[in-house]
Amino acid sequence: MGEFDLIARIRDRAATRADVILGIGDDAALLQPPAGMQLVVAMDTLNAGVHFPTETAPADIGWKALAVNLSDLAAMGALPAWCTLSLSLPDANTTFVDGFLDGFLALAQQHDVALVGGDTTRGPLSVCVTVHGFVESGTALRRDGAQIGDDVWASGTLGDAAAALAQWKSGGDVDAALRARLNRPTPRVALGHALRGIATACIDVSDGLLADLGHVCNASGVGVQVDVDALPASEALRIAFDGEARRVPQATGGDDYELCLIAPSNMRATVQQVAASVDARVTRIGRVVDRQGVQAHTADGVAWSAPMGWRHFD
Ligand code: ADP
Ligand code: MG
């Protein structure tokens, strides 16, 4: 089976939308953006052995490749519409492509995203996805709007994916719930969209909460204080890791794909209501302060930083 058969396989399964004038099959896609909206574009690449263990199931790779991109749009408050997919494959393996599409297209369908084009090449296993979406002009959530005195919030739970990776690297059993969070992250698209006009800044947690908050601090010219013992933890994480062992993946682990949002402190009830209206959970984890950088502390107010020598969560 060659490149063109693979592309035909992809085209046969890809869904479309009314605003796709021409999808897979021509030299380029022809798309009709809605009037009055800003186009929001994100791209992320997943390389085998770097961004996922080589033995990850194809359907999980497919899901995650799209999820990490949808998460970027969620962090902007945008709704996704179209995506393109660049697949680099060691061989024209239909079993892999079929499995990959199972995960990729299941998530695409959930968010009404049409796969409108891409590229298929031979090479080491690598997946690059671009997502296009829209936001009402001027309403995007950016990293540069955090104000001193604002609250810092996190959606969902933090640390599950890093905990799964740590269990996997240590050679032990990987808890199924934690593994699901690593392989099938949930992009918080509806939450990001609902927070337009409420959040002053937003970022998705991909590299670890404290690192990602550092980007918000730099962009906004502020500092944040985070209570590492206030970070939302799943039941599975609480059972598998306690105390300091839990703080490390929660505060520094990557791959959560939750939203970290900043909102004025007089909007607390609104943030909770808006989150509830889209079935999302949000937890207040810190505040924006008049000092540069990210400071973490424990529940009893003692300054906290990740212990040296912890390399699991890089
Ligand atoms: P070209 O040589 O003009 O770049 P290709 O043979 O690469 O054309 O692609 C043919 C069509 O198939 C194009 O519409 C392209 O967007 C689409 N396509 C190729 N690979 C993929 C893929 N992995 N996923 C989705 N569409 C793809
Ligand atoms: Mg091409």
Side-chain angles (χ1 to χ4, degrees):
M1 173 148 303
E3 175 196 336
F4 295 109
D5 301 305
L6 280 185
I7 295 172
R9 239 176 151 82
I10 295 171
R11 190 189 54 215
D12 287 348
R13 290 186 59 186
T16 188
R17 312 177 8 133
D19 53 10
V20 178
I21 312 303
L22 202 51
I24 297 171
D26 210 308
D27 289 312
L30 203 52
L31 308 166
Q32 185 61 60
M37 305 285 270
Q38 287 173 330
L39 180 62
V40 185
V41 181
M43 172 193 271
D44 258 317
T45 302
L46 300 187
N47 291 325
V50 180
H51 301 100
F52 58 87
T54 325
E55 57 264 49
T56 306
D60 290 337
I61 300 170
W63 176 286
K64 190 161 181 173
L66 182 58
V68 302
N69 279 280
L70 295 181
S71 180
D72 282 325
L73 257 60
M76 301 300 291
L79 290 180
W82 312 312
C83 66
T84 55
L85 165 65
S86 173
L87 271 179
S88 165
L89 302 170
D91 51 66
N93 180 335
T94 53
T95 311
F96 178 88
V97 171
D98 289 345
F100 179 92
L101 290 173
D102 289 343
F104 189 94
L105 296 176
L107 184 61
Q109 188 186 10
Q110 275 187 20
H111 293 277
D112 191 22
V113 172
L115 174 60
V116 299
D119 203 18
T120 306
T121 56
R122 193 178 293 266
L125 179 57
S126 173
V127 182
C128 178
V129 175
T130 308
V131 174
H132 296 71
F134 304 103
V135 70
E136 288 76 4
S137 294
T139 67
L141 305 177
R142 303 160 45 137
R143 297 179 178 184
D144 58 5
Q147 303 288 320
I148 294 160
D150 284 354
D151 293 325
V152 181
W153 301 77
S155 69
T157 61
L158 297 173
D160 299 320
L165 211 50
Q167 287 179 336
W168 176 76
K169 283 186 180 168
S170 71
D173 289 341
V174 180
D175 179 89
L178 298 178
R179 184 201 298 271
R181 295 273 295 151
L182 174 67
N183 288 337
R184 299 247 170 171
T186 306
R188 304 297 180 185
V189 173
L191 179 63
H193 190 246
L195 285 165
R196 288 166 308 125
I198 299 165
T200 53
C202 189
I203 192 168
D204 71 318
V205 182
S206 53
D207 297 333
L209 175 72
L210 300 184
D212 288 320
L213 265 174
H215 301 313
V216 174
C217 289
N218 289 340
S220 297
V222 297
V224 296
Q225 284 180 347
V226 175
D227 178 353
V228 291
D229 291 325
L231 304 182
S234 68
E235 183 75 24
L237 185 68
R238 284 181 193 284
I239 291 168
F241 293 79
D242 63 4
E244 185 68 1
R246 189 164 71 226
R247 289 176 185 143
V248 177
Q250 289 213 276
T252 72
D255 269 5
D256 289 309
Y257 301 102
E258 293 295 346
L259 295 182
C260 177
L261 50 120
I262 318 293
S265 58
N266 63 5
M267 298 283 256
R268 277 178 197 171
T270 309
V271 170
Q272 295 278 15
Q273 280 160 17
V274 161
S277 75
V278 294
D279 288 328
R281 165 181 164 181
V282 289
T283 305
R284 199 151 47 80
I285 60 171
R287 59 198 184 94
V288 179
V289 296
D290 179 16
R291 210 172 333 145
Q292 297 299 302
V294 181
Q295 282 131 25
H297 60 85
T298 60
D300 44 17
V302 178
W304 184 88
S305 57
M308 298 294 286
W310 273 90
R311 309 301 296 178
H312 286 306
F313 307 113
D314 285 0

